[in-house]
Amino acid sequence: MKKLTVVALALTAAFQAQAVEVYKNDTSMLDLYGRIYAGQFFGDKKEGVDTANPNGTQDYSAKQGANQFVRFGAKAETQIQSGLKALAQYEVQMYINDSEKTISESSDNLRTRLAFAGVGADWGSVTFGRQKGAPGFLADWTDVSLSDGYGNEALGAKTDTFATNRAGSVLKYSGLFNGFQLDTSYKFDGGDTEETTSKDSDAAYGAAVAYTFPFNLSLGTAYNVGIRDKSGESDAKLWIISAKYDNKAAYAALSYADGSDFLATGTDHTGWEAALGYNFENGFGLMALWNKQEQDKAGVKKDNVDYYTLGAQYKFNKNLRVIGEYRINNLDSVAGKATANQDDFQLAARYDF
């Protein structure tokens, strides 16, 4: 009972003070953080057959309806001995889009994003659990959409995809040395993924390195291999090159990806992602994104992703902001088929603590 009381008091204090740091002394630290996000996508609905359309179909917008969730996380550090510390992080997200169903009725509502632990020192950190694989920090450079749900669609570095982003059973080393960041990771075989449409649990390994110059320019590259264990399937390979400039006001980033048998055996792809934004001192911010992915299957090439987004936000303070973002979809219509190629946009309010 005493332990529950202490936790309850800590949570209450964190929410009342809107502070991240809950507890800290000479040897231990506990931070709590979170986000409340209330968004809504608007666009053309899929309506089936349209007799007025020469193709007999109605094209539609890919994103529709509510996009609302609560995110909560905790970070902890404890000194083991001089120069060596234990560290851990946990992060969970609950979707609250359309109903008040219990978790047992809709298990997809609650998702564990991060859950890892390890040790850290001047030489870097070694952690194990559900976390980002080595290429993840490079993919983040262009995953900077103001609203939730846009971006991070062209490179192929996604959640539960050969540990190129968040994944389970990942062993990772990460170190910072005089402007260099070096990450290496290995994902062990086994276990289901976060995505209910995919049960790919193959092992993977990767490495990423980046250097940040004194004038705010960063350059990096990553290489990742997914080890497919089914007969007749080729290993999934992904190479990323990235650059970004960030002086806290202006932001620009560009990433290129080349995938071999990455999306599926026999399917190669190239991907481009770009971001350009600016934050004004009065709280206004602007961001434009570009995502384009071309797939090559048996010599047949087609665009799978091709869009721009234009976004704006206003920060009332460090906690609360409102966001509007519009997506211009450049995908072509497909004869005789309803295609998700129409524009859409999102309005949202976001509170961070």
Side-chain angles (χ1 to χ4, degrees):
M1 180 63 72
K2 290 182 178 179
K3 291 182 179 180
L4 292 175
T5 303
V6 171
V7 172
L9 290 174
L11 288 171
T12 302
F15 279 97
Q16 289 178 345
Q18 298 181 353
V20 173
E21 189 174 272
V22 175
Y23 177 78
K24 184 176 182 180
N25 61 18
D26 294 337
T27 60
S28 301
M29 178 272 293
L30 174 64
D31 286 353
L32 299 179
Y33 65 93
R35 177 178 301 173
I36 299 172
Y37 187 91
Q40 180 77 19
F41 287 110
F42 300 89
D44 295 332
K45 292 183 179 181
K46 185 176 181 180
E47 297 178 355
V49 175
D50 181 4
T51 55
N53 188 315
N55 293 328
T57 57
Q58 168 93 22
D59 290 342
Y60 60 98
S61 301
K63 295 183 182 292
Q64 294 281 335
N67 181 28
Q68 299 158 18
F69 60 84
V70 177
R71 183 182 301 173
F72 175 79
K75 298 179 181 179
E77 293 183 3
T78 302
Q79 182 175 324
I80 299 174
Q81 60 186 41
S82 179
L84 184 66
K85 61 183 178 182
L87 53 90
Q89 184 173 353
Y90 175 75
E91 186 175 293
V92 66
Q93 186 158 300
M94 179 181 291
Y95 290 88
I96 50 176
N97 285 343
D98 295 316
S99 67
E100 297 183 7
K101 293 180 180 179
T102 64
I103 300 303
S104 61
E105 293 173 324
S106 181
S107 59
D108 196 42
N109 282 359
L110 187 65
R111 299 185 184 182
T112 298
R113 291 166 54 89
L114 300 170
F116 64 86
V119 295
D122 292 340
W123 42 259
S125 63
V126 175
T127 52
F128 178 73
R130 181 166 183 81
Q131 59 186 319
K132 289 191 176 184
F137 80 89
L138 285 185
D140 286 347
W141 289 4
T142 51
D143 187 14
V144 290
S145 171
L146 298 182
S147 64
D148 175 83
Y150 293 133
N152 189 35
E153 295 188 57
L155 300 183
K158 295 184 177 182
T159 300
D160 290 311
T161 307
F162 302 110
T164 50
N165 209 296
R166 296 191 308 275
S169 301
V170 173
L171 178 65
K172 184 171 78 169
Y173 165 79
S174 182
L176 293 171
F177 309 98
N178 299 319
F180 282 97
Q181 179 172 350
L182 173 64
D183 281 19
T184 61
S185 61
Y186 183 85
K187 179 189 180 302
F188 291 90
D189 195 357
D192 289 341
T193 67
E194 180 179 277
E195 299 295 333
T196 59
T197 57
S198 172
K199 297 298 179 184
D200 183 8
S201 60
D202 295 337
Y205 61 89
V209 62
Y211 180 74
T212 300
F213 296 91
F215 46 90
N216 302 314
L217 175 66
S218 301
L219 302 175
T221 187
Y223 186 72
N224 201 85
V225 177
I227 308 171
R228 289 196 172 100
D229 55 10
K230 292 182 180 179
S231 176
E233 291 189 340
S234 301
D235 287 348
K237 300 174 182 178
L238 183 67
W239 177 43
I240 299 175
I241 303 175
S242 301
K244 75 168 181 177
Y245 176 82
D246 184 7
N247 69 355
K248 306 304 180 184
Y251 187 91
L254 177 66
S255 291
Y256 168 80
D258 183 86
S260 176
D261 294 294
F262 186 81
L263 302 177
T265 296
T267 302
D268 300 334
H269 79 281
T270 56
W272 291 92
E273 292 184 6
L276 181 64
Y278 192 85
N279 290 314
F280 298 91
E281 293 183 357
N282 61 1
F284 279 100
L286 301 173
M287 181 66 71
L289 301 181
W290 173 51
N291 276 226
K292 183 178 177 65
Q293 182 190 93
E294 183 184 72
Q295 296 183 7
D296 185 346
K297 186 173 183 179
V300 178
K301 296 182 179 181
K302 69 171 185 176
D303 289 339
N304 188 54
V305 176
D306 188 2
Y307 66 78
Y308 300 91
T309 67
L310 302 173
Q313 68 178 7
Y314 178 72
K315 294 182 178 180
F316 293 93
N317 54 31
K318 66 179 181 179
N319 302 104
L320 179 64
R321 69 187 70 181
V322 291
I323 306 164
E325 196 153 24
Y326 189 89
R327 177 169 69 163
I328 304 169
N329 198 331
N330 295 320
L331 290 178
D332 296 328
S333 296
V334 178
K337 180 181 178 181
T339 306
N341 60 6
Q342 299 300 292
D343 297 349
D344 45 57
F345 67 97
Q346 183 178 183
L347 299 177
R350 169 178 151 182
Y351 186 90
D352 297 288
F353 57 90

